[in-house]
Amino acid sequence: KIIKFFDEKQVQSILDDIKTARWEPGLISLGYRDRKIALKTKSNFQADYDSTKFYGMVDRCREFEYFAEPNTSSGVMITRTPTGGFYKPHTDWEGLGHFSTTIFLRDPKTYSGGELCILPNPYEDEIKFKLEPGWGVTYETGTPHRVATVTHGERLAAVFWTESIVTNLDDLDRYRYYSEMVDWCEEHYEQPVFETCHEFNNDPTKYFERKRKEIYRKYIEMK
């Protein structure tokens, strides 16, 4: 899912904050015992970011909430990939959550390469993303992906992981479908005030709304 998370002012706020960031080699988040393999797999830098401030902005993004139905999210990592940097194909640790998100922070015209390349379907080509600042991609954790080598300039991105309230992703797909149908019905039909419960029950908008709530309630009751 491609989502606009931040406006220009919010992006600039993050860029201002990371001017004094403490950068560490990206290798520290790799689990390889063999350093030679690690060096061939990943070449970038990373820094932690204030999660309270970050999610204070992300929480305003209704489209992300709609897509992921977040329960909790991880700490936030800012990644800096200079010229020559890369991250070879890998999958994120499954314990991080259901969804991985990358938000681009730098104007794509200022650097070459650095595309986020995702393989959601092994029988199709990679999907490559290099988005405007503030725009991001949310995808299922465990999907093979890589960061192409930066050939000029410097790539900056924010990365985090999210656990969904609706932990079964098939149920989440159905939840999204019912939510979309509710939105469609509300957009195309005037919503009446009903006089009887039968009228309420037979209304298509209310039908999809009930189906959506049934799924959501199942996971609330499991907590």
Side-chain angles (χ1 to χ4, degrees):
K1 182 71 172 178
I2 299 175
I3 299 169
K4 183 177 181 179
F5 285 89
F6 304 138
D7 59 27
E8 185 177 344
K9 184 177 179 181
Q10 291 169 324
V11 171
Q12 188 58 54
S13 175
I14 295 173
L15 295 177
D16 289 341
D17 289 341
I18 64 176
K19 287 178 181 177
T20 56
R22 179 182 176 184
W23 296 100
E24 298 179 299
L27 296 179
I28 65 172
S29 59
L30 283 183
Y32 292 116
R33 294 182 180 179
D34 190 329
R35 183 171 173 78
K36 290 182 180 179
I37 295 177
L39 289 169
K40 293 178 181 179
T41 302
K42 187 177 186 182
S43 177
N44 67 359
F45 299 91
Q46 62 190 51
D48 294 332
Y49 189 76
D50 183 345
S51 294
T52 301
K53 179 176 180 179
F54 185 86
Y55 289 118
M57 295 187 290
V58 169
D59 288 347
R60 303 175 201 171
C61 182
R62 185 175 181 274
E63 194 173 3
F64 174 70
E65 181 180 0
Y66 187 87
F67 181 76
E69 282 302 318
N71 181 27
T72 61
S73 289
S74 69
V76 182
M77 182 189 302
I78 306 295
T79 64
R80 179 167 64 86
T81 311
T83 301
F86 55 82
Y87 197 167
K88 298 297 185 182
H90 64 285
T91 56
D92 294 337
W93 178 49
E94 63 278 9
L96 290 168
H98 300 100
F99 294 103
S100 304
T101 299
T102 295
I103 303 175
F104 292 80
L105 298 175
R106 179 148 285 171
D107 186 338
K109 300 184 187 68
T110 64
Y111 64 101
S112 302
E115 296 86 357
L116 173 64
C117 307
I118 302 176
L119 187 66
N121 187 331
Y123 302 104
E124 296 180 1
D125 293 337
E126 295 177 331
I127 303 174
K128 298 182 179 182
F129 300 93
K130 188 175 178 181
L131 306 178
E132 295 293 324
W135 286 80
V137 185
T138 297
Y139 55 97
E140 289 185 21
T141 300
T143 304
H145 61 286
R146 66 185 177 91
V147 175
T149 301
V150 175
T151 57
H152 176 266
E154 184 176 75
R155 176 189 193 265
L156 281 173
V159 182
F160 66 95
W161 295 265
T162 302
E163 176 188 315
S164 178
I165 290 174
V166 184
T167 56
N168 182 294
L169 297 187
D170 289 333
D171 278 349
L172 184 56
D173 280 340
R174 284 190 287 272
Y175 181 89
R176 291 188 193 123
Y177 167 73
Y178 294 134
S179 296
E180 289 169 0
M181 292 306 298
V182 168
D183 288 348
W184 188 89
C185 288
E186 289 180 345
E187 181 181 346
H188 288 82
Y189 298 106
E190 183 177 351
Q191 299 302 300
V193 175
F194 302 98
E195 297 297 332
T196 70
C197 291
H198 282 294
E199 290 175 341
F200 178 91
N201 190 63
N202 293 330
D203 180 77
T205 307
K206 301 308 177 186
Y207 167 79
F208 290 121
E209 192 173 78
R210 287 198 304 277
K211 298 299 288 185
R212 176 178 67 181
K213 289 180 177 180
E214 283 175 9
I215 294 173
Y216 197 86
R217 189 164 53 247
K218 178 170 72 172
Y219 289 91
I220 292 298
E221 291 170 352
M222 290 169 59
K223 295 176 72 175

